Amino acid sequence: MISVAKKKKPATNVLARNKKARHDYTILETYEAGIVLTGTEIKSVRAGRMNLKDGFARVRNGEVWLENVHISPYEQGNQFNVDPLRNRKLLLKKREIKKLIGTTQNAGITLVPLRVYLKHGVAKLLLGVARGKHSYDKRETIKRRDQDRELRRVMKNRW
């Protein structure tokens, strides 16, 4: 019998997640963006010392900027550490930026960081184009999730 080798998926290592994003927003579209970081910041990110909870992105002067994301100072970085809450530039293609400019002009649309991960040794950010949920939408999502969980539990016990 001949065995066929499976293709390996590219190595992605999730370093930080924004767990509240999918609860508070309806994600319409996602983009993968690079992040411009300093040397001590990337070391801190690789250690998983990053918080995306209150972060958002904004398009200014044809560039996309990540704001209000906290990257803890690197312990061995001393004088090379920078402000933990500084704005960081996101690297996207020009046509993606133009598309984001058009979509963010609509009322209620925002750019939310979903997760940060390593891809081939480079830090990437998954950026979501999102619309805020109302409280009744959040309750509906929780209700649907509980129903799915109950259905899976019942089906598991049937077999």
Side-chain angles (χ1 to χ4, degrees):
M1 184 180 246
I2 300 172
S3 64
V4 178
K6 292 183 180 179
K7 287 185 178 180
K8 290 185 179 179
K9 293 181 181 178
T12 57
N13 185 12
V14 177
L15 302 172
R17 273 195 165 84
N18 189 351
K19 296 177 184 178
K20 296 289 282 181
R22 295 202 187 265
H23 182 264
D24 293 338
Y25 300 98
T26 301
I27 307 300
L28 306 173
E29 212 173 349
T30 59
Y31 293 94
E32 182 180 72
I35 313 171
V36 177
L37 299 171
T38 63
T40 55
E41 281 180 323
I42 188 63
K43 289 182 178 189
S44 190
V45 166
R46 286 175 190 257
R49 299 175 48 85
M50 185 174 192
N51 186 358
L52 298 174
K53 190 165 79 173
D54 296 326
F56 62 96
R58 183 178 290 165
V59 181
R60 272 189 280 144
N61 300 329
E63 296 177 336
V64 182
W65 292 87
L66 184 64
E67 299 182 11
N68 210 23
V69 170
H70 187 275
I71 297 177
S72 298
Y74 186 60
E75 281 131 16
Q76 288 81 29
N78 55 33
Q79 71 189 24
F80 299 108
N81 282 329
V82 293
D83 179 28
L85 284 174
R86 77 178 182 93
N87 298 339
R88 293 164 183 92
K89 187 175 178 180
L90 296 180
L91 305 173
L92 290 161
K93 294 182 180 178
K94 194 173 278 191
R95 62 182 158 82
E96 292 175 337
I97 294 173
K98 286 180 181 178
K99 192 172 180 185
L100 286 176
I101 290 170
T103 56
T104 55
Q105 303 264 327
N106 299 335
I109 301 291
T110 187
L111 301 174
V112 179
L114 300 175
R115 68 175 181 241
V116 174
Y117 53 92
L118 288 178
K119 185 174 180 182
H120 305 294
V122 179
K124 299 284 184 177
L125 174 95
L126 189 65
L127 188 67
V129 177
R131 173 174 282 130
K133 284 185 183 178
H134 297 287
S135 60
Y136 56 84
D137 290 335
K138 294 177 190 178
R139 286 193 299 267
E140 182 65 33
T141 304
I142 293 169
K143 180 178 163 186
R144 191 175 309 119
R145 185 181 62 218
D146 289 343
Q147 287 173 346
D148 290 343
R149 187 180 300 134
E150 181 67 23
L151 183 65
R152 280 195 307 269
R153 187 184 64 77
V154 168
M155 294 302 287
K156 185 176 116 179
N157 289 338
R158 282 185 103 187
W159 302 106

